[in-house]
Amino acid sequence: MNKELYSKLIFEHSRPGRKGYSLPAYDYGTSTEMPRHLQREVKPELPEVDEPTVVRHYTNSSNNNFGVDTGFYPLGSCTMKYNPKTSEKAVGLAGVADLHPAQPEWTVQGALETYYTLQTYLSRIGGMAEFTLNPYAGAHGELTGLMVIRAYHADRNDVARRKVIVPDSAHGTNPASAAIAGYEIVEVKSRPDGTVDTDDLASKLDETVAAVMMTNPNTVGMFEKDIPRIAELVHAAGALLYYDGANLNPMLGVARPGDMGFDVMHINLHKTFSTPHGGGGPGAGPVGVRAGLEKYLPSPRVFRDESGVFHVGKGEKSLGRVSSWLGNYTVFIKALTYILSLGEENIKHVGPLATLNANYIMYGLCDLYKLPIPGPCKHEFVFDGLADKSTGVTTMHVAKRLLDFGFHAPTIYFPLLFHESLMIEPTETESKETLDSFIAVMREIAREAAECPDKVKEAPHSTPMRHPDENEAALHPLTTWKQLQPTY
């Protein structure tokens, strides 16, 4: 098939004069004409298509998407967890879907109770005194938490604290959030076992440090066993300890950041508490604080008076508004539904099961893939590519070959501690059969890499798009349908 004909069949569905819609009758007055001064001088260049063509186009496009409902998604750092349909059903209830944030308080007492209840549960789970639900996502939660820390130091007139210490294994959002909050970034090194070098940290703690940001388990899946010592060092220097909640999943029901000595934390509800993640949202990044820091939390917040009535107000020294209204309400409904479905007696199984699944995969593959940090991991682990690199098959090649077997790739080339990082995180919701299938495929790819490396290097072989120019897509995106050209 020649290029021109292929382009017309696949990309060019528009035909002049073809329509797939009709506007409803106009019931108010006699004129439906838009005032002349509001009309465009030049008609927009939009595709002209009939309804079946539109439906088929989007249906076929959706079939090319990958998600947790279609297959295994071992995406490390993002906890692509299965989303129970019960949670989706709860969001669709009329008493939830039909609310408006501008309604009077007395008409939305149930919604405000939902906020208040979730805040309370998250405080218990995190070991914190209080939470705000306002931030829209994890990075937004980090920024909000750092703003709380800034407000705390400013209130004490401790204005010399202008630095935030971040481990070299941290998520990229940590230094980015600290920079946006106006802080200088200081990096602390990791030891060979992947944990923070406490001696290096101690040497960098002084009266100019506002906070230390940490993730536990850390980005390579290792538990930071020296947290009590780190908390002691940080607090002795007058700084606060921040917990990045991206890796809270394996800690559920096992350990609480507040009990470890953390002062401020955020939780990714759209990860740990099983609400949709990906496609740009919606997300939620609630921020919790230890006792004494509640007054700095952003406003508005939900309070309950002595008579049991819920009100929206602000704290004593609130840092102000960080979002519109109270945050993403539907995400809160899904998270609360998930917590209530598990109950206190079952949420304690989430962490151990996530840890078991990760270790099961790790030990099933560590003879063929290079494991730079040996020993048991928590919810995720990192390979440094194939153990046998002699054929030139890279982590990118392995990731693309996985698509041919119906698996999404894990996180690749992060963390930056290793040259060929391949980070795998299965989550607690995956069955043994799924894990066995993934292990078998990864072992098959390792065999192919040794015996027929070109087959792996040229993958994927079965996807609609094979080898797009990712740099060109980022630098020169096509934003209108007229720009589209077929890719071969």
Side-chain angles (χ1 to χ4, degrees):
M1 185 182 297
N2 64 51
K3 182 176 180 179
E4 182 179 356
L5 178 58
Y6 181 84
S7 175
K8 288 182 178 180
L9 289 176
I10 303 301
F11 293 92
E12 298 296 337
H13 297 308
S14 179
R15 297 295 182 271
R18 192 163 292 175
K19 296 181 179 180
Y21 71 93
S22 61
L23 295 176
Y26 185 73
D27 297 330
Y28 305 96
T30 57
S31 175
T32 60
E33 185 73 17
M34 182 179 291
R36 180 63 189 170
H37 70 281
L38 295 178
Q39 295 182 29
R40 296 174 61 109
E41 294 185 4
V42 180
K43 288 186 177 181
E45 290 190 355
L46 299 175
E48 299 176 72
V49 290
D50 55 85
E51 182 177 318
T53 300
V54 173
V55 172
R56 288 167 186 163
H57 168 75
Y58 284 107
T59 301
N60 289 329
S61 296
S62 71
N63 289 336
N64 292 328
N65 289 339
F66 195 99
V68 291
D69 283 351
T70 59
F72 183 37
Y73 211 130
L75 182 56
S77 270
C78 284
T79 318
M80 296 299 288
K81 186 185 293 189
Y82 174 72
N83 305 310
K85 298 303 176 274
T86 301
S87 300
E88 301 295 324
K89 183 177 180 180
V91 171
L93 295 173
V96 174
D98 295 342
L99 297 180
H100 192 282
Q103 287 182 227
E105 288 182 0
W106 66 270
T107 68
V108 288
Q109 283 294 297
L112 296 182
E113 183 176 1
T114 298
Y115 280 102
Y116 189 85
T117 302
L118 182 57
Q119 289 171 187
T120 302
Y121 285 167
L122 294 181
S123 298
R124 290 173 59 187
I125 291 170
M128 294 288 164
E130 192 159 342
F131 263 83
T132 174
L133 306 183
N134 295 18
Y136 286 132
H140 193 197
E142 289 177 16
L143 176 60
T144 302
L146 288 161
M147 291 168 68
V148 169
I149 291 172
R150 194 176 193 86
Y152 163 76
H153 290 305
D155 192 35
R156 297 166 60 246
N157 200 31
D158 199 350
V159 295
R161 299 188 181 274
R162 60 183 184 275
K163 299 176 183 177
V164 168
I165 296 178
V166 178
D168 57 5
S169 64
H171 297 116
T173 52
N174 286 183
S177 297
I180 292 175
Y183 287 111
E184 299 175 24
I185 313 304
V186 178
E187 185 179 86
V188 62
K189 299 298 182 183
S190 295
R191 293 180 289 218
D193 66 357
T195 60
V196 167
D197 186 330
T198 52
D199 292 334
D200 187 37
L201 174 63
S203 69
K204 294 173 178 175
L205 283 167
D206 58 28
E207 67 280 355
T208 67
V209 175
V212 175
M213 300 182 75
M214 292 191 64
T215 306
N216 197 24
N218 60 31
T219 307
V220 294
M222 295 290 113
F223 186 81
E224 295 281 357
K225 59 184 181 300
D226 292 326
I227 282 292
R229 172 61 177 157
I230 291 172
E232 180 183 350
L233 290 171
V234 171
H235 293 148
L240 298 182
L241 190 57
Y242 182 91
Y243 182 84
D244 178 341
N247 291 350
L248 181 64
N249 207 50
M251 295 293 97
L252 288 185
V254 178
R256 307 191 307 173
D259 298 336
M260 300 177 196
F262 287 95
D263 303 291
V264 182
M265 69 176 293
H266 86 267
I267 294 177
N268 294 338
L269 286 191
H270 53 284
K271 297 178 183 181
T272 306
F273 291 97
S274 196
T275 64
H277 180 261
V287 171
V289 295
R290 63 157 171 81
L293 298 176
E294 308 98 314
K295 56 189 175 184
Y296 305 114
L297 287 173
S299 59
R301 285 162 58 197
V302 177
F303 299 89
R304 183 173 62 181
D305 63 25
E306 295 180 355
S307 63
V309 176
F310 296 94
H311 303 281
V312 177
K314 61 181 295 185
E316 177 188 349
K317 295 184 178 181
S318 172
L319 59 83
R321 188 181 284 273
V322 297
S323 59
S324 59
W325 308 106
L326 288 162
N328 282 327
Y329 179 59
T330 56
V331 175
F332 306 150
I333 293 293
K334 295 171 186 178
L336 183 58
T337 302
Y338 177 76
I339 292 172
L340 293 174
S341 297
L342 286 175
E344 188 173 352
E345 68 278 13
N346 288 316
I347 201 169
K348 63 184 179 183
H349 298 307
V350 171
L353 287 174
T355 301
L356 175 64
N357 282 352
N359 280 275
Y360 185 74
I361 293 179
M362 183 182 74
Y363 285 111
L365 295 174
C366 61
D367 59 326
L368 297 177
Y369 292 82
K370 183 179 179 181
L371 185 64
I373 301 177
C377 64
K378 291 302 179 185
H379 65 304
E380 66 187 8
F381 60 93
V382 182
F383 285 133
D384 188 7
L386 286 160
D388 179 8
K389 295 179 170 59
S390 62
T391 61
V393 173
T394 67
T395 284
M396 178 65 79
H397 296 140
V398 172
K400 289 186 178 292
R401 182 63 175 137
L402 273 170
L403 298 174
D404 288 324
F405 292 94
F407 291 115
H408 195 280
T411 295
I412 59 175
Y413 298 109
F414 179 82
L416 303 178
L417 295 174
F418 313 114
H419 183 63
E420 289 288 325
S421 289
L422 184 72
M423 179 159 49
I424 299 173
E425 178 181 2
T427 82
E428 80 288 348
T429 52
E430 299 297 341
S431 68
K432 181 177 180 297
E433 290 76 18
T434 297
L435 304 184
D436 285 336
S437 297
F438 180 73
I439 291 171
V441 166
M442 289 288 284
R443 297 189 70 85
E444 173 63 14
I445 293 173
R447 184 195 65 78
E448 292 177 345
E451 299 177 4
C452 45
D454 287 345
K455 186 174 185 179
V456 184
K457 292 178 181 179
E458 295 170 4
H461 302 280
S462 60
T463 57
M465 298 287 288
R466 292 188 58 196
H467 290 271
D469 188 330
E470 296 168 356
N471 291 328
E472 182 69 15
L475 294 173
H476 304 288
L478 303 181
T479 57
T480 67
W481 71 282
K482 276 284 192 180
Q483 294 177 281
L484 293 175
Q485 295 294 329
T487 302
Y488 302 95

